[in-house]
Amino acid sequence: MALTGIEIFKMLPKTNCKECGLPTCLAFAMALASGKAELDACPYVSDEVKEKLAEASAPPIRPVKIGPKDAQKTLGGETVQFRHEKTFFNPTIIACRLGTDMADADVDAKLKQFMGLQFERVGLNLRPEMFAIVDKNGDAGKFAALVKKVMDGSDALILLRSDKVDVLKAGAEAAKERRPILATATAENADAMGALAKELDLPLVARAESYDALAELTTKLTGMGVKDIILNSAPKSAKQLLQDNVAFRRAALVGKFRPFGFPVINNVSLMTDDLKKQALYAALGIAKYASIVVLSDLAPHAIFPLLLQRLNVYTDPQKPMIVTQGIYPINNPDENSPIAITTNFALTYFIVTGEIEGSKVPTWLLIKDTEGLSVMTAWAAGKFSGDDVGIFVKKSGITDKAKTRSLIIPGYAAAISGDLEEELPDWKILIGPREASHIPAFLKSL
Ligand code: SF4
C-alpha cells in the first residue's frame, strides 16, 4: 500500500536543508508520494527508513532494462498519463516477428531488411529495434540456431517466445549478451516460466485475457521473485487494445495498483495478417502506452510512419528540437559558394537544408544557436539580433572556408540587416526569401 506524503514526511529528517532540490522536507515527501522525486535525492534518509519507503518511492511503472550492457534500452518507467504533463521518456520498441518455420533465405532477407531500415531525421537515427523470435516446433536446437543467426546478422534487441521452458532456455543462452525478454508466462505455466526468468534474471512477458487473471499472474510472479514483468492482455481488437493499455496505465499511475505497474507489449501480428491493419494497431499502441509493438513484417511503408509517430509522441513538448550550432556544407560548396544563415530550430534547419539540397546550388549554411527558436521568435526574443549574428559569423570560422563575403539572412529577419552591416563592415548582407520554398529560385538567381 502506497504511503501518503504526510506519512513519508514523518520519516524524513525534517531539517529542510534543501539538498534534495526542494525547499522543505514536506515538499520532498509530497513529491516522493506522487512519484515526482527519487528517494536517493535525500542523502540523510537512514537505511531502515529507506526500506520502509521503498514501496512508496518505487516508480509506478517499473523500468525494465533490456539489450546489451553498452546499448541498453528501458521499457516502462513512465510517470505521467499525458505527454503534456511532463514527457514520455522511453519510446516504444518496434519489433518484427521471426519464426523457426521460416526458410533460411527468408530469415536472411528479413535481417538484411532490418539492418537497412534506418532513416535520418532531425539528427536522429530512426529504426525498428527488435526481433520477436518464435518457436514453432519445440526444437531447442533449431530455436537456438535461429537466435544465433539473428545475433550474428543484426544488432537487434531480442524477445524469445516458446511454450517450452527448455527451448526458451536454449534461446536465452544464445542471446544472453543482449538481455533478451522471455515469453510467455500464463496461469498454466507460471511456476516453470517464473522459475526460469528468476534463474536467468531476465524479463518475462505475462499474458492473461482478463484483468483479474493478469493481476493474479503478475502477483504470483512477483511473489516468486520475478522483478521485470511485461504485461500482455492479448487484445483481439483495436478497441480492446486501447482500452487495456489505458486501463493498465491508469491503474498503475492513478490507482497505484502494483500488479499493473509494468510495461505493456502489444503483439499486433497476432491480431491480423493484414500488415496495414497491423500498422494501425501499432500506431494506437505507440500513442497509448505500449512499450513494445510486434509486427509480422518490416515493409518500409508500414514502419516509416510508425517511426515518425513515435518520434513525435516521445519528444519532450517543453523542449524545442534543436540542431548543433555550426557550419553545414550543402551540395559540396567551395570557397566561392554563397553563405546563408538561419536558426537552430530543428524544423527550420531541415526545411531550409531540404530546399538548398533541392536547388543543387553548393552553399554554406551557418546555424546559429537560438535555443531552438524559429527565426521570427528568435529575432523578437533578441536571440537573432544583428550584433549577435555578426559576432557569431566572425567566430564561426566560415572565413577560413569561403572567400565569399556576402551573407544571406532569412527574409523574416530583414530588420537586422542594418545592425549586421555595422557589425560586418566587409560583408554584403543579402535578404533571402521569407518562405523556404522560394530558396532554390533565390540561390539560382545569385
Ligand atoms: Fe529534507 Fe532530505 Fe530534502 Fe534535506 S535533503 S530538505 S533532509 S528531504
Side-chain angles (χ1 to χ4, degrees), residues 143-222:
F143 190 60
L146 178 57
V147 174
K148 183 155 185 331
K149 199 175 179 53
V150 174
M151 294 284 289
D152 293 344
S154 78
D155 56 358
L157 300 168
I158 290 176
L159 181 146
L160 304 167
R161 182 152 71 84
S162 174
D163 297 336
K164 297 195 164 49
V165 170
D166 62 321
V167 174
L168 217 43
K169 194 169 183 176
E173 179 59 31
K176 66 180 173 201
E177 284 158 32
R178 295 195 195 164
R179 192 159 204 261
I181 299 170
L182 304 178
T184 305
T186 60
E188 292 72 38
N189 67 14
D191 290 322
M193 288 291 180
L196 181 67
K198 176 134 195 287
E199 178 195 331
L200 303 178
D201 188 24
L202 291 177
L204 177 64
V205 176
R207 188 188 71 219
E209 293 184 18
S210 78
Y211 297 156
D212 286 347
L214 192 54
E216 206 174 298
L217 180 58
T218 60
T219 305
K220 176 171 182 165
L221 293 170
T222 311

Side-chain angles (χ1 to χ4, degrees), residues 128-145:
E129 298 89 356
M130 179 182 275
F131 276 115
I133 305 173
V134 184
D135 162 41
K136 291 283 188 180
N137 43 27
D139 182 335
K142 204 166 179 187
F143 190 60

Side-chain angles (χ1 to χ4, degrees), residues 7-171:
E7 284 167 329
I8 296 172
F9 173 65
K10 287 179 188 161
M11 291 187 248
L12 293 178
K14 304 185 195 67
T15 57
N16 298 334
C17 70
K18 302 187 177 63
E19 280 187 48
C20 55
L22 289 161
T24 60
C25 292
L26 181 61
F28 181 70
M30 293 301 175
L32 204 56
S34 59
K36 289 180 185 144
E38 300 280 336
L39 184 56
D40 290 346
C42 172
Y44 304 109
V45 177
S46 68
D47 288 349
E48 191 190 335
V49 170
K50 259 187 197 155
E51 211 171 293
K52 283 192 193 151
L53 291 180
E55 164 88 353
S57 62
I61 298 172
R62 183 173 171 82
V64 173
K65 304 262 187 221
I66 56 169
K69 279 206 173 70
D70 55 349
Q72 278 197 323
K73 297 268 181 197
T74 303
L75 310 174
E78 304 296 346
T79 55
V80 292
Q81 248 187 297
F82 304 105
R83 177 177 167 268
H84 60 262
E85 290 176 70
K86 192 172 182 186
T87 184
F88 293 164
F89 294 101
N90 297 309
T92 313
I93 299 290
I94 297 176
C96 174
R97 192 182 66 198
L98 284 182
T100 48
D101 56 345
M102 288 170 70
D104 267 4
D106 292 341
V107 174
D108 289 339
K110 276 267 172 16
L111 292 175
K112 194 168 169 214
Q113 191 183 27
F114 176 88
M115 291 307 289
L117 201 62
Q118 306 194 28
F119 305 91
E120 270 304 299
R121 208 72 168 193
V122 287
L124 300 170
N125 185 27
L126 310 185
R127 59 177 302 193
E129 298 89 356
M130 179 182 275
F131 276 115
I133 305 173
V134 184
D135 162 41
K136 291 283 188 180
N137 43 27
D139 182 335
K142 204 166 179 187
F143 190 60
L146 178 57
V147 174
K148 183 155 185 331
K149 199 175 179 53
V150 174
M151 294 284 289
D152 293 344
S154 78
D155 56 358
L157 300 168
I158 290 176
L159 181 146
L160 304 167
R161 182 152 71 84
S162 174
D163 297 336
K164 297 195 164 49
V165 170
D166 62 321
V167 174
L168 217 43
K169 194 169 183 176

Side-chain angles (χ1 to χ4, degrees), residues 407-418:
L407 179 69
I408 305 163
I409 62 170
Y412 281 113
I416 70 170
S417 61

